[in-house]
Amino acid sequence: MNFKRNAAVFGAVAVGAMTLAACGSDNNSASSGTSVNSAASTATCEGKDSLSAAGSSAQKNAMDNFVATYISVCKDKGTDVKIAYNPTGSGDGRTQFIAKQVDFAGSDSAIKGDQAVAAKERCAGNDAWNLPLVFGPVAIAYNLDGVDTLTLNGEVIAKIFSGGITKWNDPAIAALNDGVALPDEAITPIVRSDSSGTTDNFQQYLTVASNGAWTKGAGSDFVGGVGEGAKGSAGVSQAVAGAPGSITYVEKSFADQNNLSVAQIDSGAGAVELTDESAAKAIEGATFKSEAVGDMTLNLDSIFGTKEAGAYPIVLATYEIVCSKGYDADTSAAVKSFLTSAANEGQDGLAEQGYVGLPGTVQDKLNASIAAIG
């Protein structure tokens, strides 16, 4: 999953910049336009001056923003810092975290099962916590000449992506779009050909929101059995842009970049357009598997299955995986300071990157959990 990919990514840079290992380089530092009220920041900039992390590519641009902001905050406090984030994918990030190769990991899904057990050993016998720091909406993007406004629901989307609905003027679509002239045209679903957190979360959404119409299950590989494959978020969005009658699931930023039409979603309380505000409303209603301070693994059904008016339900969360305790003192202080900055002033400007800033309810709980890291 990737909310927004740039053609260039980070290479090694000097002190006070962010390092990312990938195919190319593009320096990003606090001088890139980040303006921060450092005096208002509660980040201490204490602990070791260099942190390392790896994992979810979905977080790449958000991390750019977090790091540039943190550099600016700490520079104003008289401290030079370095943060290295390598967007190698969620699975690799979790593996590196368990192996003590990085200080924290970014992941599209919470660490669990055998990996959680191994992470507990890495954390000196203490639990690893999943802290949701980055949220981004997924668009149902389509290419249908003459149809600028389209409403779908979970059941219809599930049938489209499993072959149960094959024409745009199908009665089930028409029932959601009174007065819209739908063409007698074949629907071409475009799906991810590569393993993807976006696919996994999309299929989890269908499992929750389709009233039983989606029976295929979830997972990082598309299991609907229909459609044409394209690689990556860029691939599916470009494929839809060039194929009349097609539809896909893709991060909002890619739909915007390719000028794709985006369907409204009706979860039972009326059609909802995908906006920052409607996505944030779904996040505000999110619940967690535990309400205690600490681990913040989300109950995704509370987002995907929302019935709240004005809430857009297809919103993905990515986590930072950290040790609850077990770091040395310098690492603990640095991790807490960086995440404090990221959870607060680091959220500014995320909308321009295709993300949704943290609602206050989530932000408050996240700040308490970060403060509790030992």
Side-chain angles (χ1 to χ4, degrees):
M1 181 173 65
N2 184 356
F3 297 129
K4 182 179 177 184
R5 289 189 181 91
N6 290 337
V9 295
F10 283 72
V13 292
V15 172
M18 180 179 182
T19 302
L20 291 174
C23 53
S25 64
D26 177 24
N27 293 348
N28 183 6
S29 68
S31 62
S32 64
T34 302
S35 178
V36 182
N37 181 1
S38 299
S41 175
T42 56
T44 64
C45 301
E46 295 176 342
K48 65 181 185 180
D49 61 8
S50 180
L51 285 174
S52 63
S56 168
S57 60
Q59 298 185 12
K60 191 267 180 190
N61 283 357
M63 276 290 173
D64 292 359
N65 198 72
F66 297 156
V67 170
T69 299
Y70 188 56
I71 288 167
S72 179
V73 166
C74 291
K75 184 176 181 180
D76 287 351
K77 294 176 182 287
T79 303
D80 289 328
V81 294
K82 292 187 293 185
I83 312 291
Y85 184 81
N86 195 345
T88 54
S90 298
D92 182 71
R94 294 192 298 270
T95 298
Q96 289 197 50
F97 175 74
I98 290 168
K100 293 188 177 182
Q101 295 171 347
V102 294
D103 297 313
F104 64 92
S107 179
D108 300 340
S109 56
I111 197 166
K112 57 187 177 182
D114 290 344
Q115 283 196 324
V117 173
K120 187 169 184 175
E121 182 177 346
R122 177 259 193 269
C123 296
N126 302 285
D127 290 333
W129 285 349
N130 302 283
L131 304 180
L133 187 62
V134 181
F135 289 85
V138 170
I140 304 301
Y142 66 95
N143 181 342
L144 196 57
D145 189 40
V147 179
D148 297 325
T149 301
L150 178 72
T151 299
L152 301 174
N153 61 20
E155 182 175 350
V156 167
I157 296 168
K159 290 178 179 179
I160 289 173
F161 282 91
S162 60
I165 292 177
T166 60
K167 289 290 189 73
W168 280 108
N169 63 346
D170 185 282
I173 300 178
L176 294 169
N177 293 275
D178 186 38
V180 177
L182 297 167
D184 182 14
E185 182 177 346
I187 301 174
T188 303
I190 305 293
V191 303
R192 290 284 291 268
S193 60
D194 54 327
S195 294
S196 164
T198 307
T199 296
D200 187 19
N201 280 271
F202 173 64
Q203 293 179 142
Q204 288 186 59
Y205 161 73
L206 295 180
T207 301
V208 172
S210 68
N211 294 320
W214 184 263
T215 60
K216 306 287 186 174
S220 298
D221 296 317
F222 181 73
V223 294
V226 300
E228 299 179 2
K231 186 175 182 179
S233 299
V236 294
S237 55
Q238 290 166 7
V240 169
S246 60
I247 188 170
T248 194
Y249 54 93
V250 70
E251 294 83 352
K252 178 179 181 292
S253 60
F254 283 91
D256 292 343
Q257 289 168 9
N258 288 275
N259 296 314
L260 300 178
S261 297
V262 173
Q264 300 179 123
I265 304 297
D266 188 343
S267 299
V272 179
E273 181 183 357
L274 171 50
T275 65
D276 293 341
E277 292 74 21
S278 63
K281 192 166 187 178
I283 300 167
E284 286 173 357
T287 61
F288 303 89
K289 292 189 176 179
S290 171
E291 292 303 318
V293 170
D295 183 72
M296 291 179 62
T297 300
L298 286 155
N299 174 7
L300 292 176
D301 289 7
S302 67
I303 298 177
F304 297 151
T306 182
K307 303 293 185 183
E308 186 172 358
Y312 182 88
I314 319 178
V315 179
L316 312 186
T318 62
Y319 297 93
E320 309 312 320
I321 299 172
V322 302
C323 289
S324 58
K325 296 179 181 178
Y327 290 122
D328 62 78
D330 280 347
T331 300
S332 177
V335 168
K336 292 171 69 172
S337 180
F338 172 68
L339 293 180
T340 295
S341 177
N344 293 281
E345 61 269 9
Q347 297 291 310
D348 294 342
L350 287 189
E352 289 78 8
Q353 302 291 335
Y355 304 92
V356 179
L358 295 173
T361 51
V362 176
Q363 190 175 45
D364 291 344
K365 183 174 175 63
L366 181 58
N367 279 319
S369 295
I370 293 169
I373 294 172

